[in-house]
Amino acid sequence: MNIMDEVTHPLFVKDDRDYVIRHIKDEGFILVAENKNVDAYLMIHYCDYDPDVNLYHVAYMDSVGVSKVARGQGLMKILIEHAEKMLEGEYCYYIATVHPDNVYSLRVFQSLGYEINQTVYRYNNNKRYLMLKKTKS
């Protein structure tokens, strides 16, 4: 089964194929955790400037999905930690958006040092917390 089909949920907004391809080629990268199938992915978007937070040198933890069979194994946290290590020294800030009702994702980001910076409306005007973490860079 395609992981993007599996992570369909009102709290999650899927990215289209062109957006994903741009990240693979030019605008970021994608990390994948797999064991026979893709169990989880994290898409990172390079962002020189983010107008929502008025900051430069930002890496955006753009999209994360975990398959049903892999949930509860800490893959989201592992992928974010790995991405942060890969980005170390390159960016001053990491940001992400989380639906306020997505308690699990909110806890993961907060456990990694992200704080709620503000409430934004994205993805067809859906409410999201904008999470922000200042790096050591």
Side-chain angles (χ1 to χ4, degrees):
M1 174 176 274
N2 182 331
I3 190 169
M4 292 301 284
D5 293 333
E6 245 187 74
V7 294
T8 300
H9 191 279
L11 304 183
F12 182 79
V13 178
K14 280 196 249 186
D15 298 306
D16 65 34
R17 178 178 162 71
D18 291 337
Y19 187 77
V20 173
I21 289 171
R22 282 197 319 268
H23 279 78
I24 294 170
K25 290 183 175 183
D26 303 316
E27 298 177 11
F29 62 94
I30 299 173
L31 295 177
V32 175
E34 59 186 336
N35 181 14
K36 296 184 183 175
N37 295 306
V38 174
D39 290 326
Y41 73 91
L42 170 64
M43 187 163 37
I44 293 83
H45 175 78
Y46 304 137
C47 186
D48 290 329
Y49 173 74
D50 187 280
D52 284 329
V53 289
N54 195 29
L55 295 172
Y56 290 89
H57 306 293
V58 175
Y60 183 32
M61 305 300 158
D62 195 357
S63 181
V64 62
V66 179
S67 70
K68 290 178 185 175
V69 297
R71 290 184 188 150
Q73 298 177 30
L75 293 177
M76 178 180 174
K77 186 174 184 176
I78 291 167
L79 288 172
I80 294 168
E81 289 172 328
H82 188 70
E84 288 180 356
K85 285 179 186 166
M86 292 174 68
L87 294 164
E88 201 169 283
E90 301 276 330
Y91 294 91
C92 297
Y93 302 94
Y94 302 138
I95 61 173
T97 58
V98 177
H99 191 286
D101 294 337
N102 191 340
V103 178
Y104 176 76
S105 292
L106 187 59
R107 274 193 233 137
V108 169
F109 279 109
Q110 288 174 322
S111 75
L112 292 169
Y114 291 73
E115 297 178 355
I116 298 171
N117 176 269
Q118 62 183 290
T119 300
V120 295
Y121 291 84
R122 291 189 176 170
Y123 320 115
N124 297 319
N125 207 32
N126 287 298
K127 184 178 180 180
R128 296 286 190 264
Y129 290 144
L130 193 142
M131 309 298 293
L132 176 69
K133 178 178 182 177
K134 180 161 180 22
T135 70
K136 297 173 185 167
S137 299

